[in-house]
Amino acid sequence: MTIREIMQIGVGVPDREKFETFAHDMLGFPVLRSPGGSISYVRSDQYQHRIAVSTTLQPILRYVSFDVGGSDQLAGWKSKLTAAGIAFRHGTPAECAERQVSDFIELKDPDGHGLALAHGFEIDDSPVRYTRDLKVLRLGHVLLTVKDTQRSHDFYTGVLGFRLSDWICIDDNIRLCFLRCNERHHSLAFAPCMPGKSPRLQHVMLEVESLDDVMRSYHFMRLHKAPIGMGPGRHPNCQTVHVYVQTPGGFAVEFGWGHRRLDSTH
């Protein structure tokens, strides 16, 4: 049993309408609401959505969802987690419909981040109606802040089977950890929380089709005075050319191209 790739992010934001407007006008994505109106879906590629947004008092990460392949694989994960003494819950039919998946289970990592193991993610065969000149290939990774990056490394590699790609040491107290589940350099990254701050979602990376997509995004957001956080630039470890923009949801979105691939067997 292996985790195949990162698939969805569920977040809560205080002002969902403001986030919807930003996602549509600045990020460039179509946004739809669930039939009941409680969830906003941000579509960026061939899947029905990559980011699901609900309304909460404070910005929160509700879950990060991963594809495990199918029902047999999900059953295997249930057995593995039970044997390891790790608690999880089953997704309800209503939650599966909300997340647009066939089935999932959900557990917590040591920092309380919700992790969903799922299968049957719904695909939309219609073209993505971007609101600006853009093409996104996939959801690339998330960076989570955690209390102890070594503890996170041990949990994700020991329990969930992720593999280490890099440690980046900023100084004696700040060590960033990069983990992969396929040939992409990383699907998860961890950074230590800022002093006095709680673990949170720091950013979501969307992998775009071309370098032009990164540069067009930068110039578009700069022209419209969006809060660009970093970039354009290139990360030395994963070789990604990037630009980051802060969203009203309390996390940033990275548009990236040229992400390094590694041998998935090691």
Side-chain angles (χ1 to χ4, degrees):
M1 296 175 303
T2 58
I3 289 175
R4 297 187 174 189
E5 61 179 311
I6 187 170
M7 294 295 293
Q8 294 176 346
I9 310 299
V11 297
V13 303
D15 190 337
R16 189 153 53 101
E17 289 189 0
K18 184 177 181 180
F19 186 90
E20 288 177 334
T21 299
F22 187 87
H24 181 274
D25 295 349
M26 206 61 57
L27 299 181
F29 300 132
V31 180
L32 295 174
R33 286 200 171 185
S34 61
S38 62
I39 303 294
S40 301
Y41 297 120
V42 179
R43 186 183 177 203
S44 60
D45 54 30
Q46 73 270 30
Y47 288 93
Q48 292 275 13
H49 74 276
R50 290 297 197 172
I51 303 175
V53 188
S54 58
T55 304
T56 52
L57 293 177
Q58 299 293 331
I60 62 167
L61 173 63
R62 295 178 58 215
Y63 58 84
V64 180
S65 189
F66 301 97
D67 185 12
V68 298
S71 58
D72 290 344
Q73 288 83 0
L74 187 61
W77 277 105
K78 294 176 185 178
S79 298
K80 179 177 180 178
L81 294 173
T82 299
I86 295 174
F88 62 88
R89 69 176 188 87
H90 295 82
T92 67
E95 287 177 315
C96 290
E98 174 191 296
R99 300 188 189 193
Q100 300 176 330
V101 299
S102 296
D103 197 9
F104 74 91
I105 59 173
E106 191 168 291
L107 62 146
K108 299 287 188 181
D109 77 358
D111 289 275
H113 295 305
L115 308 175
L117 306 182
H119 70 91
F121 295 84
E122 292 185 20
I123 292 176
D124 187 339
D125 292 327
S126 65
V128 183
R129 296 185 179 276
Y130 298 108
T131 63
R132 59 181 178 86
D133 196 357
L134 180 67
K135 177 65 179 295
V136 173
L137 299 177
R138 61 185 59 84
L139 172 59
H141 65 255
V142 297
L143 187 149
L144 306 176
T145 67
V146 298
K147 293 180 180 178
D148 184 333
T149 52
Q150 183 65 55
R151 181 179 69 172
S152 295
H153 165 275
D154 296 347
F155 175 83
Y156 282 87
T157 58
V159 175
L160 297 179
F162 282 81
R163 298 181 295 281
L164 176 66
S165 294
D166 276 319
W167 283 102
I168 300 295
C169 298
I170 307 301
D171 58 33
D172 291 341
N173 298 314
I174 302 178
R175 299 173 71 224
L176 278 64
C177 180
F178 298 83
L179 302 180
R180 68 187 188 276
C181 59
N182 50 40
E183 74 279 0
R184 290 176 50 76
H185 179 274
H186 61 280
S187 293
L188 286 173
F190 305 107
C193 299
M194 296 293 288
K197 300 295 184 179
S198 299
R200 68 181 184 93
L201 171 64
Q202 199 276 337
H203 78 258
V204 176
M205 184 271 206
L206 298 170
E207 186 171 8
V208 296
E209 184 178 57
S210 69
L211 176 61
D212 286 345
D213 286 308
V214 176
M215 298 310 299
R216 280 194 297 261
S217 296
Y218 167 70
H219 288 295
F220 178 88
M221 292 185 293
R222 184 182 179 199
L223 177 65
H224 291 86
K225 302 187 185 308
I228 296 172
M230 183 167 62
R234 184 190 291 271
H235 293 305
N237 62 334
C238 63
Q239 300 298 304
T240 304
V241 179
H242 60 264
V243 63
Y244 292 74
V245 60
Q246 187 68 28
T247 76
F251 63 94
V253 168
E254 173 191 4
F255 293 96
W257 171 82
H259 189 85
R260 181 182 171 197
R261 264 60 177 175
L262 301 175
D263 184 348
S264 62
T265 62
H266 296 89

